[in-house]
Amino acid sequence: MGITAGHGPLPLSQERGPGQRKERRGRVTSILKRFTSRWAQRYQKMSIQMVISLSFTTVAVVGMIFMGLSLFWRFSSATGELVAENSQRVLAQVNLNLDSYLRSMMRVSDTMYYRVIKSADLGRDSLTAPMELLYEDDRDSLVSIALFDLRGGLVSAVPLSTLKQPADLTQTGWFLSALQKKENLHFSTPHVQDLFEDPDYHYQWVVSLSRYVQLTRDGATEGGVLLVDMGFAGIEQVCRNVELPNGGYLYLIDGSGELIYHPRQQLIYSGLQEENNQAAARYRDGTHSEEFQGQRRQVTVKTVGYTGWKLVGVVPVEGGFVSDSRQIFLFGLSLLLFSIFLMAFLNFRISAHISDPIRRLEQSIKELEAGREDVEIEEGGCYEVQRLGHSIRSMVSTMRHLMDDIIEQEGQKRRSELEVLQSQINPHFLYNTLDSVIWMTEAGRYEEAIQMVTSLARLFRISLSRGKSIIPLADELEHARHYMNIQQIRYKNKFTTQINALPGTDGLYTMKLIVQPILENAIYHGMASAEDDGLITVTARREGEDLVIDVADNGLGMRPEVAASLLDEDRPEIRTSGSGIGVRNVHRRIRLTFGDRYGLTIFSEPDEGTTVRIRLPALDQDGAAQYQREDVP
């Protein structure tokens, strides 16, 4: 009854199980279809940021999953090999260090035997001095060097030379090993060096190297034993800092399995722990698998040359290693290559679909930056790219209209500024000149009056210049001569004027009405208080690609800092009773037309006079045509 009741529900449960699983699979499939359909619909309306983010994220996640799985399986199969290879590399490095340590002992022994003992006769030679030199060379690692005869008697030793009493050396292991195999070098296991009396009671753990040697005494040959003791701390230091995977460790044994070094040596000697060192002594070099005290371990063995000692590396194995590494490796490699191909293909297709419209739009912008005006801005791609293309097209069109308007406005502004600057002729100059003509006529000075009226007419004719702002240099100098003729008559020849154009200036053009304001400034500020020896000179010359006009006077002059401030835009304008076109006005006109490289420079010293240098580009007829103002209404 109990058995029937206990097993009765199982058939019902087993019958309902497959139906429930089929129903769950149907629900999952339906959910996946709805999810896929929704994302397919949303993709058409997604922003470019969302498309790129989701696409590349999905591809990266899928790729990482594939690569993670392949690496997991590959790692599972290769863990044992990697651990073994790593242990072998570590043991090989430790073996090199031990080999270097042991070679240093052998070098000391060989040097002592072949260079000292063989060349000495004990009947007349002392070995103490060469032994001390040899000891001093390696005192950091050496503990002692000693030479004994076959009866165990001490022949020579350093640094200590007094044997303990009683000391029967002929029964020690290192002594017997040296006598039994006379052709070999013999390394002992670590032991306390207690052969010699130490006044400081300082005894060290050492490794002894012994060998049979032939001694010469009074010409006769006899046998002996050479003992070299080196500190065990060197071996301990080499082995102590070794790290193996999974909490592994390294220990050192001799050929019979006796422990030489173990990180838990004290615990093993006290019986608190055990080590499988006797079995390890029988292992050949390489990696072995063993089970010790219920734990699976990977044991790597490496024999140390010259000694028969063995380095043993122990690494605990957690879980089993995958055995069929070749098949798993091929599978992992195939999976990795397929994942890389799939990711590369999908990324290429998706990125091309998304980025091509942006790339074409970028190319159009670059062409616009290069100065092309007939660039067609494409409006394609995702919604944002389409809007961006449309905005750029509208912006380019607006910018073109604005640039045209700005160019037109700047041209009009420049022409207006030049007109204003050139039209600043004070009517007071005209009034004074006509008043002088009337006065001379009434005084019967008809020739001077005629000369002044003639010069005034020519002055205004050149000033008009048919609306042109750039005139021949000869006309500008002629204008200056007529102006100075008028002023000399008015000032009753208180000063003289010299106007010269040096060779090389023929055919050059200049901006009009730039010399006369400088002359006016020289008259009112340089010649006003002068006597009858005033002199104003105008000299035009060519310097390379520039035209230079110097207007110099020998008037009162001024301090250099005052002269430099005359062109300062922040300095208030100084009005005169002349034409009203100031020096700063001329400077602004020149720079506005030709640029900041050109303009005026003023040189002056008190009581020595003033020179105003006008610098312009050396323009020929073709160059002047670019600056003509015939288009001014």
Side-chain angles (χ1 to χ4, degrees), residues 403-420:
M403 289 175 64
D404 294 338
D405 294 340
I406 290 173
I407 292 173
E408 179 64 24
Q409 292 174 5
E410 286 296 323
Q412 293 178 359
K413 179 181 178 182
R414 180 171 171 272
R415 290 192 294 269
S416 299
E417 289 178 351
L418 288 175
E419 286 179 353
V420 170

Side-chain angles (χ1 to χ4, degrees), residues 108-212:
V108 172
S109 179
D110 289 341
T111 303
M112 183 64 196
Y113 181 38
Y114 293 107
R115 295 189 180 183
V116 178
I117 296 176
K118 279 188 171 292
S119 61
D121 190 328
L122 299 182
R124 62 176 185 274
D125 299 329
S126 174
L127 303 180
T128 303
M131 290 179 71
E132 287 178 349
L133 290 175
L134 194 59
Y135 173 81
E136 288 298 326
D137 290 340
D138 295 278
R139 66 179 305 163
D140 292 336
S141 57
L142 280 177
V143 175
S144 65
I145 304 176
L147 178 64
F148 302 92
D149 57 23
L150 295 181
R151 296 182 299 276
L154 180 63
V155 176
S156 181
V158 291
L160 302 177
S161 58
T162 303
L163 289 174
K164 287 186 177 181
Q165 298 296 334
D168 186 8
L169 302 181
T170 59
Q171 301 303 315
T172 60
W174 57 267
F175 195 96
L176 293 175
S177 298
L179 295 180
Q180 290 171 1
K181 297 181 180 180
K182 297 181 179 182
E183 300 299 327
N184 298 335
L185 299 175
H186 306 279
F187 291 87
S188 71
T189 57
H191 61 278
V192 176
Q193 205 275 55
D194 57 353
L195 293 177
F196 300 97
E197 293 286 349
D198 189 350
D200 297 329
Y201 300 97
H202 182 251
Y203 299 105
Q204 304 182 48
W205 281 82
V206 298
V207 174
S208 297
L209 170 61
S210 60
R211 70 187 303 169
Y212 176 84

Side-chain angles (χ1 to χ4, degrees), residues 484 488 491-498 522-523 526-537 552-556 609:
M484 294 305 292
Q488 282 180 305
Y491 283 89
K492 300 179 181 180
N493 295 316
K494 292 180 62 176
F495 53 85
T496 58
T497 305
Q498 296 178 1
I523 293 172
M527 301 290 104
S529 59
E531 300 298 334
D532 296 335
D533 57 350
L535 175 63
I536 299 176
T537 62
D553 66 74
N554 60 351
L556 297 177

Side-chain angles (χ1 to χ4, degrees), residues 229-244:
D229 285 338
M230 299 191 76
F232 178 70
I235 295 178
E236 188 176 23
Q237 184 66 30
V238 169
C239 301
R240 179 185 300 166
N241 298 326
V242 175
E243 294 182 2
L244 293 177

